[in-house]
Amino acid sequence: MADKPEKAIRIVLADASRLTTLGITQVLEREADMEILAVVTDGEQAVAKTIELEPDVLIIEVELPQLSGIKATQKVRRELPHVAVVILTAIEEEQTLFDAIRAGAAAYLHKDCDPKELVDSIRKVRGGQFIINEKIFAKPAVAMKVLAEFRELSVYGPGSSHVFAPLSPREVQILDNIAQGMTNKEVAYALAISEQTVKNHMSSILRKLSVNDRTQAVVYAIRQGWIKGPELGS
């Protein structure tokens, strides 16, 4: 195998299936900017190797012996929040998707996905994107349920200290309205400001929180307790 560049994406792969790990390894070894540091077969090993090697990305299967992929992801994200996690699943279930985003996963893929989708996903999550949102928030009803559940979410554990909100009172107000499902136009009307002003504030919010879109901004703010999730109708 040819030497990898110094800035190659460093990866730990965790999957109980030898056939799956061989296939993924073959796919990723063809990518000049990717390097597999370790391959493990259970959740405990996944956590241990990730903490030991501190890769850029952990690719982990949901169903693992010793410790599930979801629980392993929670442990990794608590210890090493800079490590992006790609969760693989053989059966896409709504609850598993909810659990994955609760745990802090950046991507959620079917094990039979196109190799190009896996490769692209690895590059995106390494760049700080949470593409798991694309699956969840494409469906408004699912998005509302997920955001509602974030009210009681504690990704980093009850003992963690909350980061002081870097947002201005107006920015928090705008984000709170967006969390209720309002469009920019509706927020502008509700707050008696122009739609352009709302857009300007949203740009500031995304920059301050280092997130890519309004969905991520809402999720982040709910996690920190700065705003509440959407009010569900009876």
Side-chain angles (χ1 to χ4, degrees):
M1 184 175 64
D3 290 339
K4 296 292 184 177
E6 186 177 344
K7 295 296 184 181
I9 302 171
R10 303 164 70 251
I11 299 165
V12 167
L13 173 60
D15 197 297
S17 167
R18 176 69 174 160
L19 192 60
T20 298
T21 56
L22 282 172
I24 292 176
T25 298
Q26 289 177 358
V27 168
L28 300 186
E29 282 183 342
R30 291 198 295 265
E31 303 300 320
D33 62 339
M34 295 184 187
E35 176 185 9
I36 296 180
L37 303 180
V39 177
V40 298
T41 57
D42 69 56
E44 292 287 2
Q45 291 177 346
V47 174
K49 275 296 179 186
T50 301
I51 291 175
E52 174 191 346
L53 301 174
E54 294 197 30
D56 301 305
V57 178
L58 168 64
I59 303 173
I60 188 166
E61 178 193 17
V62 168
E63 298 295 334
L64 285 178
Q66 305 301 325
L67 189 69
S68 74
I70 297 295
K71 290 183 178 179
T73 297
Q74 290 174 332
K75 288 192 172 186
V76 167
R77 293 288 293 163
R78 284 171 183 162
E79 294 292 327
L80 302 170
H82 58 280
V83 174
V85 180
V86 175
I87 287 185
L88 300 178
T89 179
I91 303 174
E92 293 191 10
E93 297 178 339
E94 189 175 89
Q95 187 59 50
T96 306
L97 180 58
F98 291 160
D99 291 341
I101 195 169
R102 277 191 185 131
Y108 179 88
L109 303 174
H110 195 280
K111 292 180 74 171
D112 287 336
C113 70
D114 188 283
K116 185 178 184 301
E117 182 180 3
L118 174 61
V119 170
D120 288 346
S121 297
I122 292 170
R123 291 192 178 112
K124 286 178 179 178
V125 301
R126 173 62 181 86
Q129 296 185 47
F130 278 74
I131 60 175
I132 193 170
N133 292 343
E134 297 171 8
K135 290 184 178 289
I136 293 177
F137 296 100
K139 301 177 181 180
V142 177
M144 291 290 283
K145 183 176 180 181
V146 172
L147 289 173
E149 291 195 4
F150 269 119
R151 292 181 188 179
E152 299 178 4
L153 174 61
S154 181
V155 172
Y156 302 109
S160 63
S161 59
H162 290 289
V163 179
F164 181 78
L167 307 180
S168 70
R170 174 64 91 183
E171 288 168 344
V172 171
Q173 191 177 28
I174 287 172
L175 205 53
D176 196 23
N177 278 295
I178 288 173
Q180 308 308 318
M182 290 188 183
T183 63
N184 287 350
K185 185 174 183 179
E186 290 169 335
V187 172
Y189 181 79
L191 300 180
I193 57 178
S194 71
E195 189 173 352
Q196 185 58 50
T197 298
V198 174
K199 291 179 180 178
N200 292 342
H201 278 301
M202 278 308 304
S203 295
S204 173
I205 290 168
L206 298 182
R207 185 179 65 256
K208 287 181 178 180
L209 300 185
S210 298
V211 294
N212 299 303
D213 57 45
R214 52 193 272 155
T215 294
Q216 291 180 28
V218 167
V219 168
Y220 186 94
I222 293 173
R223 282 180 177 176
Q224 297 300 332
W226 303 338
I227 63 173
K228 292 183 178 181
E231 299 293 338
L232 302 182
S234 56

